[in-house]
mmCIF file of all heavy atoms in Angstrom:
data_model
loop_
_atom_site.group_PDB
_atom_site.id
_atom_site.type_symbol
_atom_site.label_atom_id
_atom_site.label_comp_id
_atom_site.label_asym_id
_atom_site.label_seq_id
_atom_site.Cartn_x
_atom_site.Cartn_y
_atom_site.Cartn_z
ATOM 1 N N SER A 3 -13.679 -4.822 -0.960
ATOM 2 C CA SER A 3 -14.053 -6.224 -1.177
ATOM 3 C C SER A 3 -14.725 -6.330 -2.545
ATOM 4 O O SER A 3 -15.117 -5.320 -3.135
ATOM 5 C CB SER A 3 -15.074 -6.673 -0.129
ATOM 6 O OG SER A 3 -14.579 -6.494 1.167
ATOM 7 N N SER A 32 15.470 -1.384 -16.691
ATOM 8 C CA SER A 32 15.780 -0.024 -17.154
ATOM 9 C C SER A 32 16.889 0.597 -16.313
ATOM 10 O O SER A 32 17.564 1.520 -16.747
ATOM 11 C CB SER A 32 14.526 0.854 -17.121
ATOM 12 O OG SER A 32 14.130 1.072 -15.765
ATOM 13 N N GLN A 63 13.407 8.946 -13.902
ATOM 14 C CA GLN A 63 12.208 9.728 -14.188
ATOM 15 C C GLN A 63 11.250 8.839 -14.973
ATOM 16 O O GLN A 63 11.681 8.158 -15.909
ATOM 17 C CB GLN A 63 12.562 10.959 -15.004
ATOM 18 C CG GLN A 63 13.299 12.000 -14.171
ATOM 19 C CD GLN A 63 13.990 13.023 -15.016
ATOM 20 O OE1 GLN A 63 13.673 13.173 -16.198
ATOM 21 N NE2 GLN A 63 14.950 13.709 -14.431
ATOM 22 N N MET A 78 21.239 8.429 -10.100
ATOM 23 C CA MET A 78 20.674 7.205 -9.531
ATOM 24 C C MET A 78 21.085 6.920 -8.101
ATOM 25 O O MET A 78 22.257 7.017 -7.758
ATOM 26 C CB MET A 78 21.052 6.013 -10.398
ATOM 27 C CG MET A 78 20.046 5.810 -11.512
ATOM 28 S SD MET A 78 20.553 4.553 -12.642
ATOM 29 C CE MET A 78 20.869 3.205 -11.575
ATOM 30 N N ASN A 168 17.687 -11.843 -12.068
ATOM 31 C CA ASN A 168 18.694 -10.960 -11.464
ATOM 32 C C ASN A 168 20.063 -11.199 -12.090
ATOM 33 O O ASN A 168 20.782 -10.255 -12.442
ATOM 34 C CB ASN A 168 18.753 -11.216 -9.948
ATOM 35 C CG ASN A 168 18.325 -10.006 -9.149
ATOM 36 O OD1 ASN A 168 18.474 -8.864 -9.608
ATOM 37 N ND2 ASN A 168 17.808 -10.225 -7.964
ATOM 38 N N VAL A 181 28.110 -17.978 -18.372
ATOM 39 C CA VAL A 181 27.295 -19.144 -18.741
ATOM 40 C C VAL A 181 26.544 -19.587 -17.487
ATOM 41 O O VAL A 181 27.159 -19.884 -16.460
ATOM 42 C CB VAL A 181 28.172 -20.306 -19.274
ATOM 43 C CG1 VAL A 181 27.301 -21.499 -19.671
ATOM 44 C CG2 VAL A 181 29.011 -19.848 -20.462
ATOM 45 N N HIS A 333 -5.941 -21.008 0.171
ATOM 46 C CA HIS A 333 -7.296 -20.858 -0.370
ATOM 47 C C HIS A 333 -8.207 -22.020 0.037
ATOM 48 O O HIS A 333 -9.421 -21.909 -0.028
ATOM 49 C CB HIS A 333 -7.248 -20.755 -1.900
ATOM 50 C CG HIS A 333 -6.280 -21.728 -2.517
ATOM 51 N ND1 HIS A 333 -4.922 -21.558 -2.465
ATOM 52 C CD2 HIS A 333 -6.480 -22.904 -3.163
ATOM 53 C CE1 HIS A 333 -4.318 -22.572 -3.064
ATOM 54 N NE2 HIS A 333 -5.245 -23.402 -3.497
ATOM 55 N N GLY A 361 -22.272 -19.386 -1.960
ATOM 56 C CA GLY A 361 -21.664 -18.090 -1.652
ATOM 57 C C GLY A 361 -21.394 -17.956 -0.161
ATOM 58 O O GLY A 361 -22.112 -18.518 0.678
#
Side-chain angles (χ1 to χ4, degrees):
S3 303
S32 68
Q63 288 164 18
M78 273 173 53
N168 244 332
V181 181
H333 42 285

